Amino acid sequence: MSAILFHNARLFDGETEHLRDDISVLVEGGRIRDVSARAIQSASAERIDVGGRTLMPGLIDAHFHAYATELDLGKAGETPRSLHALEAHILLENALARGFTTVRDAAGADYGLARATERGLIKGPRIFYAGRAITQTGGHGDFRGPAKESIDAPCACASNTMAWVADGPDEVRKAAREELRKGADQIKIFVSGGISSPSDPVWMPQFSDEEIRAAVAEAASRRTYVMAHAYTAGSIARAVKCGVRSIEHGNLIDRAAAEIVKAHDAFVVPTLVTYDAFHKFGASSGAPDFLLQKLEDVRTAGLEALSLLQEVGVQTGFGTDLLGELHVHQSEEFLIRAQVMRPVDILRSATSVNARLLNRAGELGVVKADALADLIVVDGDPLADLSLLTRQGAHLPVIMKGGELMKMELK
């Protein structure tokens, strides 16, 4: 892997408030070796003149679904895994083209998909995968409709492409152990109802405290954590008190629950763009009727929840949770958040905050010595114009992942 020296760059380092002009960044061996306002000398490095454009960390999407290639997740179980992987590679490659050099897959992706990307068989972001999520019978990850009879024994061996169906602490523990055995970077559970499952209302609490704690204990045994799908204030507070570290969505959170999240040093990852995309394009794209009906239970509360999280000071990650053809709207999350967040805080959420969430602080989401060389060049100032991060990467002439140039269009 050759050394590369970026110079004449305006730098957003993922952490500080302001951009710094005329910065040089030296990349060697897949990592950032030096960041300096002085000229960096290197006889062997290829020099890239950034031309005053913005150099910043690669983006991180902390709620991505590589195998969510259909708007109806119930159809996922009807798709052969081999076909799924071929469909997923398109979603991953497109995400990388938008500047996302890392994604946390929130249910579905597995060891094979992550390794294929790592080996370069798929030109996509690095993947932190949860494997199959864990749901109770009739929970958000159980995509069987009310009319479908169960043909599986009621145990943790019942599953679909996205989730295990498990009831009771022992079954949850077994399912968590199975995903950790297969290399999962974190465990995903569902503790409230959701909009993409057919039989559970959004307000429905799911899993007992004992079941949640079983998943948390197993994750802790591997020095990792649990992420939990949760909409309601009650489900959020209960999950965090039981040890869950990352709350997904959180649209119906209230101040008391937000204070509990903050007190436990946990994170919330809102995913506002998925509701916006389903509202605008779901019906014409073939989203199931039950999803569109439940959408209104959470859609309009998202911005209010995000504003509350900022006011309370909760660590707020960046995620999108898009399905099927709606993945093309991934970068519009930046613009939606701009209604209630400062641009610098939005960019931090997609870089250094998400890196802390992934337990990779100082290694991802920042431009500093010893960090992985995940970098993008923006043709303009994203702090002044977040739309530069939209349009499918049209304003990103350079994308680097792990020191490898994935896109190079500077002239």
Side-chain angles (χ1 to χ4, degrees):
M1 189 175 292
S2 61
I4 294 176
L5 176 59
F6 294 96
H7 65 99
N8 190 20
R10 173 177 284 186
L11 181 68
F12 171 66
D13 65 8
E15 295 179 318
T16 54
E17 289 267 340
H18 304 292
L19 302 181
R20 296 161 56 199
D21 289 324
D22 201 17
I23 300 298
S24 296
V25 176
L26 177 63
V27 173
E28 292 179 338
R31 290 188 178 266
I32 297 169
R33 294 305 175 195
D34 195 7
V35 179
S36 179
R38 299 179 180 180
I40 298 173
Q41 302 302 320
S42 175
S44 60
E46 174 189 354
R47 295 175 62 85
I48 296 179
D49 186 349
V50 181
R53 298 173 179 85
T54 302
L55 181 69
M56 63 175 287
L59 303 170
I60 303 171
D61 188 337
H63 198 114
F64 190 84
H65 287 293
Y67 278 148
T69 57
E70 297 271 359
L71 296 188
D72 185 349
L73 292 178
K75 295 180 179 178
E78 303 170 7
T79 304
R81 201 69 162 175
S82 55
L83 178 57
H84 247 150
L86 292 171
E87 293 174 336
H89 101 272
I90 297 173
L91 300 183
L92 290 165
E93 291 186 356
N94 289 342
L96 180 66
R98 299 181 198 111
F100 289 91
T101 53
T102 296
V103 297
R104 183 180 64 161
D105 193 276
D110 54 13
Y111 176 86
L113 195 67
R115 293 295 81 78
T117 305
E118 187 178 279
R119 291 172 55 189
L121 300 175
I122 297 173
K123 187 179 177 181
R126 68 173 48 79
I127 303 172
F128 289 80
Y129 64 96
R132 285 182 171 91
I134 309 173
T135 185
Q136 68 175 51
T137 296
H140 180 52
D142 187 346
F143 301 119
R144 298 170 297 179
K148 185 171 183 179
E149 293 292 333
S150 176
I151 59 173
D152 297 308
C155 66
C157 59
S159 67
N160 55 54
T161 299
M162 306 293 283
W164 294 101
V165 178
D167 296 293
D170 288 343
E171 291 185 1
V172 171
R173 187 175 294 111
K174 181 178 179 181
R177 286 176 177 174
E178 178 66 8
E179 291 308 324
L180 292 165
R181 177 191 70 80
K182 294 188 293 185
D185 295 291
Q186 67 279 330
I187 293 299
K188 166 79 174 292
I189 63 174
F190 301 98
V191 299
S192 82
I195 67 170
S196 59
S197 45
S199 62
D200 58 327
V202 167
W203 48 258
M204 175 186 173
Q206 297 178 13
F207 279 141
S208 66
D209 290 3
E210 292 77 16
E211 290 168 319
I212 296 171
R213 291 193 181 104
V216 169
E218 291 306 321
S221 74
R222 294 282 187 136
R223 298 181 179 176
T224 189
Y225 65 94
V226 170
M227 56 190 296
H229 163 105
Y231 278 120
T232 64
S235 64
I236 292 167
R238 188 166 64 93
V240 169
K241 288 178 180 178
C242 289
V244 167
R245 184 164 179 264
S246 177
I247 296 295
E248 309 306 302
H249 317 304
N251 295 47
L252 305 180
I253 196 169
D254 62 16
R255 182 172 294 274
E259 295 285 1
I260 290 170
V261 174
K262 182 180 179 181
H264 285 78
D265 200 29
F267 294 75
V268 175
V269 181
T271 57
L272 306 185
V273 69
T274 194
Y275 315 111
D276 184 70
F278 270 120
H279 176 67
K280 292 176 178 175
F281 309 108
S284 61
S285 299
D289 289 341
F290 67 79
L291 187 156
L292 298 174
Q293 291 168 7
K294 291 200 284 183
L295 175 64
E296 296 310 308
D297 293 338
V298 297
R299 181 180 67 85
T300 58
L303 278 174
E304 183 178 347
L306 181 58
S307 180
L308 176 62
L309 294 171
Q310 298 303 292
E311 184 179 338
V312 173
V314 174
Q315 299 178 95
T316 307
F318 182 101
T320 58
D321 191 32
L322 291 158
L323 310 180
E325 63 191 66
L326 300 183
H327 274 88
V328 296
H329 302 287
Q330 184 180 24
S331 301
E332 292 167 26
E333 180 79 16
F334 292 103
L335 304 183
I336 295 171
R337 291 185 180 216
Q339 297 176 64
V340 296
M341 289 178 71
R342 298 188 306 160
V344 67
D345 292 328
I346 300 171
L347 293 184
R348 284 171 175 157
S349 71
T351 54
S352 58
V353 174
N354 271 356
R356 291 201 305 272
L357 171 57
L358 297 174
N359 289 321
R360 295 296 190 276
E363 187 176 27
L364 295 172
V366 291
V367 182
K368 62 172 54 175
D370 298 326
L372 285 170
D374 287 7
L375 301 166
I376 61 175
V377 171
V378 184
D379 194 8
D381 179 359
L383 290 178
D385 184 3
L386 285 169
S387 71
L388 294 171
L389 298 176
T390 64
R391 305 188 188 102
Q392 312 305 316
H395 296 288
L396 306 179
V398 179
I399 299 172
M400 171 179 279
K401 187 185 82 169
E404 180 181 356
L405 285 169
M406 313 300 284
K407 179 182 180 181
M408 177 58 189
E409 294 183 355
L410 279 181
K411 298 178 181 179

